[in-house]
Amino acid sequence: MAITNDDLARRAGGEVQLRTTPLRMRWELTGMTTSDGHRLQGTFTCSVLPLPDRNNRAMLEETFLSHAATVPPAAVVAHFSSTLTAAATKTALTASGAQWLGDDSVDQKDKAASADVRRVMVDAIRQAADAVAFSSGLEILEPLQLELDSPTFRQQKTEAMERALAEKRVAGQVEHLEKAMALLKQFQAMQQDAPQLTPSAVLQQVSPTDRGTMLQTLLLAAGRQHVTQFIWLVAGPYLVRVERPLPLENSPPPHVELITLPTGLGPLRSVEPARMESEPVLLVGARNGVIIVNPDGRNPRLFSDAQITSQLGFSRALLFNNCLWACHSEAGVVRWNLDRPYAPAAALRPAQLSTLFQEQASVPASAAVSGESRFFEPVQSPAVRHLTVLDETRLIACFGSNLLTVDVNERTAAVSTGNAIEIVAVVADDKRLLIVNANGCVRVLDRSTLQPLGEINRGSRIVAAGALPWLGSTRLLLAGDGPIQCIGMDDPLISEFLSAHRAPRQVAGATDLVAAISADRQRLILWNGWDSQRPISDIAITAIARHRIADIDFS
């Protein structure tokens, strides 16, 4: 009776029945090493047929059927395996990984040898297989097929290609940087000839077709002059330090470190780099006060305000006139003496500020001093935000939809904006104050007199805004429902920082980086300041800190 399954032979009724058609079998070849040290692995496939004559039948029976009733393929594969692997392992040492894989990197003089090298291994395996088959009553038949692979060689080749691309990219960046530095020198010379002009105004002197390229080049050159070391975040009880990522797309994620601060003042709300006695410090706003701490988390000093009952926190803190100042939406503007951290030296509460606005609103416009308008919008539950240094003696903050100045002696002055639109950000330029409203209007005030100098209307909703320092001036980062737009106040150029995220909760800029917090406050997105087309990092901070991001800044 003929064998119909995949067995090569079987014992039945005292007789041995043999398969009459060849059967394809496959051996896995592992543990090989090439002449240049690469791991080699592969498969060898051939046909096997039992020989029908009496002597070969006897050898097959002795080899396979002494303890079994059938000869399945697995038994034949196991019987041949060690011999074939040994032959392949020995032969593998005679050629390199590139030769075994027929790689294009093989030198031309070795092409002929490379074409025959696989046949050498096939012949060696065939010879070893024939020897085992001869003593087992089997015959090895063609076609013989050998497939080889080397994971280590392919990895080396991939790394070499990536290295070559990186070197080419770096070479291009070096060339670009050299051109950028030359252009920067030319730009600085133009500024020296016309010192009254802002960088944006100088850019206007360039041909319109070259302005975009020059802007990108100048951003690159300016970014090389100051490299950001760390990005600082606050999330829950943690101060989060993020190392600056490599300035390459898809670079490895930067290192993220969680620094635990004292919890006595409640959850953290804001972070602001500063200098105290020429040493760098961080001003960390919390629910019930502000913490001054070294960048490594050492020596925290807690400045508390025990009267606060709000669940919100201090959204901005500043060192000004040898005091610590901070603003809180529901607690107002607070000042501490640096040697008395346990209680504020002064506090301007929202109720007190509302009275100020109501009193000044009744004063005739003719009584206005220093150009400050006396027309004020009705204030409905105003919040105090965006505390900013105005000059050597004054701070400025938002109070609802209007502005409020505070001098070093806590004397206040109300400044109307003429509308009731939410203020998203207050940005201080060298000589100007930029007021960004949620309706897309950016109003420009003289920083000394607070007189209006003009405005730009973007015509779309703005949910967050920040400053991008640029050659001693400032470009604005505006975030709405689309990409983050970067605009100059004296030129029409617009850069768009693109990502998969929309409507970020916060944006911030340094000379070499732009950062955003995603709408859900879970992710930190970073771009090179000179390359707005793609982020260089997108980090899930919440997965690390287990808290959402509250604020961001650079150092």
Side-chain angles (χ1 to χ4, degrees), residues 359-538:
E359 290 176 351
Q360 294 198 8
S362 63
V363 178
S366 58
V369 180
S370 301
E372 294 177 354
S373 171
R374 298 305 181 183
F375 174 79
F376 299 99
E377 300 293 332
V379 178
Q380 300 293 333
S381 301
V384 181
R385 298 189 180 95
H386 311 306
L387 186 65
T388 303
V389 174
L390 186 59
D391 53 36
E392 293 182 353
T393 61
R394 293 182 299 168
L395 299 171
I396 192 167
C398 298
F399 184 59
S401 60
N402 294 303
L403 298 172
L404 166 78
T405 63
V406 183
D407 69 11
V408 294
N409 297 312
E410 292 92 42
R411 290 178 300 192
T412 58
V415 183
S416 173
T417 60
N419 61 54
I421 306 300
E422 176 191 358
I423 296 177
V424 174
V426 175
V427 176
D429 201 348
D430 183 28
K431 297 180 180 179
R432 301 174 298 185
L433 201 66
L434 311 178
I435 312 299
V436 183
N437 287 103
N439 65 349
C441 178
V442 180
R443 287 171 296 115
V444 185
L445 307 181
D446 183 277
R447 189 166 175 177
S448 176
T449 65
L450 298 181
Q451 289 285 355
L453 299 178
E455 68 178 45
I456 297 175
N457 200 322
R458 305 303 303 164
S460 59
R461 184 175 73 104
I462 296 176
V463 297
L468 179 67
W470 181 57
L471 300 177
S473 66
T474 300
R475 300 186 74 82
L476 274 180
L477 298 166
L478 304 176
D481 294 328
I484 297 171
Q485 292 188 336
C486 180
I487 68 171
M489 303 309 297
D490 301 308
D491 65 71
L493 297 179
I494 300 176
S495 303
E496 291 189 338
F497 287 86
L498 307 178
S499 76
H501 301 278
R502 291 293 182 267
R505 294 298 297 269
Q506 189 171 349
V507 293
T511 55
D512 59 333
L513 282 179
V514 170
I517 298 173
S518 61
D520 59 7
R521 290 193 177 276
Q522 296 193 35
R523 307 188 71 87
L524 169 66
I525 307 99
L526 297 171
W527 294 261
N528 287 318
W530 60 87
D531 184 4
S532 60
Q533 296 304 299
R534 60 193 63 84
I536 54 173
S537 284
D538 187 338

Side-chain angles (χ1 to χ4, degrees), residues 134-166:
F134 178 78
S135 63
S136 306
L138 301 174
E139 182 179 11
I140 302 299
L141 301 175
E142 294 192 2
L144 309 179
Q145 294 180 335
L146 176 67
E147 297 179 2
L148 295 174
D149 187 31
S150 174
T152 57
F153 176 79
R154 294 196 184 280
Q155 180 181 0
Q156 182 187 71
K157 186 176 180 181
T158 299
E159 291 173 350
M161 292 175 61
E162 291 176 347
R163 186 163 53 250
L165 289 174

Side-chain angles (χ1 to χ4, degrees), residues 10-328:
R10 68 183 176 189
R11 189 189 300 279
E15 295 184 358
V16 175
Q17 297 175 348
L18 302 179
R19 186 182 184 88
T20 59
T21 57
L23 182 65
R24 296 294 288 177
M25 294 193 181
R26 176 188 178 99
W27 284 266
E28 298 291 337
L29 306 173
T30 59
M32 298 180 287
T33 304
T34 66
S35 61
D36 52 352
H38 287 292
R39 294 198 311 271
L40 191 66
Q41 61 190 34
T43 60
F44 174 72
T45 308
C46 68
S47 295
V48 179
L49 180 68
L51 295 172
D53 62 275
R54 183 192 308 172
N55 291 335
N56 283 300
R57 188 189 297 261
M59 286 189 290
L60 184 145
E61 185 175 359
E62 180 181 348
T63 303
F64 295 105
L65 296 175
S66 58
H67 300 289
T70 62
V71 184
V76 177
V77 170
H79 184 65
F80 280 71
S81 183
S82 61
T83 302
L84 301 193
T85 300
T89 300
K90 181 178 179 180
T91 310
L93 292 169
T94 63
S96 66
Q99 289 175 314
W100 286 121
L101 270 60
D103 189 76
D104 294 338
S105 62
V106 177
D107 294 338
Q108 288 295 327
K109 65 180 181 179
D110 293 333
K111 286 289 185 181
S114 179
D116 295 333
V117 71
R118 294 166 73 90
R119 172 53 57 183
V120 171
M121 181 173 286
V122 170
D123 290 344
I125 296 174
R126 172 64 183 270
Q127 185 177 358
D130 283 343
V132 178
F134 178 78
S135 63
S136 306
L138 301 174
E139 182 179 11
I140 302 299
L141 301 175
E142 294 192 2
L144 309 179
Q145 294 180 335
L146 176 67
E147 297 179 2
L148 295 174
D149 187 31
S150 174
T152 57
F153 176 79
R154 294 196 184 280
Q155 180 181 0
Q156 182 187 71
K157 186 176 180 181
T158 299
E159 291 173 350
M161 292 175 61
E162 291 176 347
R163 186 163 53 250
L165 289 174
E167 290 173 353
K168 183 177 180 180
R169 190 161 52 241
V170 170
Q173 290 175 346
V174 170
E175 182 181 0
H176 191 186
L177 178 59
E178 291 175 349
K179 292 181 180 179
M181 296 309 294
L183 190 55
L184 180 61
K185 291 180 180 179
Q186 178 184 356
F187 188 86
Q188 291 171 336
M190 295 172 64
Q191 280 190 307
Q192 290 178 356
D193 292 339
Q196 74 280 7
L197 297 180
T198 66
S200 290
V202 175
L203 193 60
Q204 285 286 81
Q205 310 303 313
V206 180
S207 168
T209 58
D210 295 332
R211 288 173 188 166
T213 301
M214 176 173 277
L215 173 61
Q216 182 182 17
T217 302
L218 291 172
L219 286 169
L220 172 61
R224 298 290 183 173
Q225 291 184 326
H226 175 77
V227 177
T228 297
Q229 290 185 318
F230 299 108
I231 302 98
W232 295 100
L233 312 170
V234 285
Y238 298 115
L239 173 65
V240 184
R241 180 168 60 190
V242 182
E243 290 185 355
R244 192 213 191 283
L246 296 174
L248 298 175
E249 181 186 3
N250 298 322
S251 59
H255 176 67
V256 178
E257 180 181 358
L258 302 182
I259 300 173
T260 302
L261 296 183
T263 58
L265 298 181
L268 307 182
R269 171 63 178 84
S270 63
V271 59
E272 180 81 15
R275 300 192 74 85
M276 178 182 289
E277 297 178 354
S278 301
E279 294 296 325
V281 295
L282 296 172
L283 310 180
V284 182
R287 183 178 60 200
N288 295 97
V290 178
I291 303 172
I292 300 181
V293 63
N294 292 342
D296 57 5
R298 292 183 299 108
N299 302 325
R301 299 174 59 192
L302 278 61
F303 292 77
S304 63
D305 185 347
Q307 297 184 28
I308 295 177
T309 59
S310 169
Q311 293 301 307
L312 301 177
F314 283 91
S315 59
R316 186 80 189 275
L318 301 169
L319 289 175
F320 178 70
N321 193 42
N322 295 318
C323 292
L324 173 62
W325 296 74
C327 66
H328 188 293

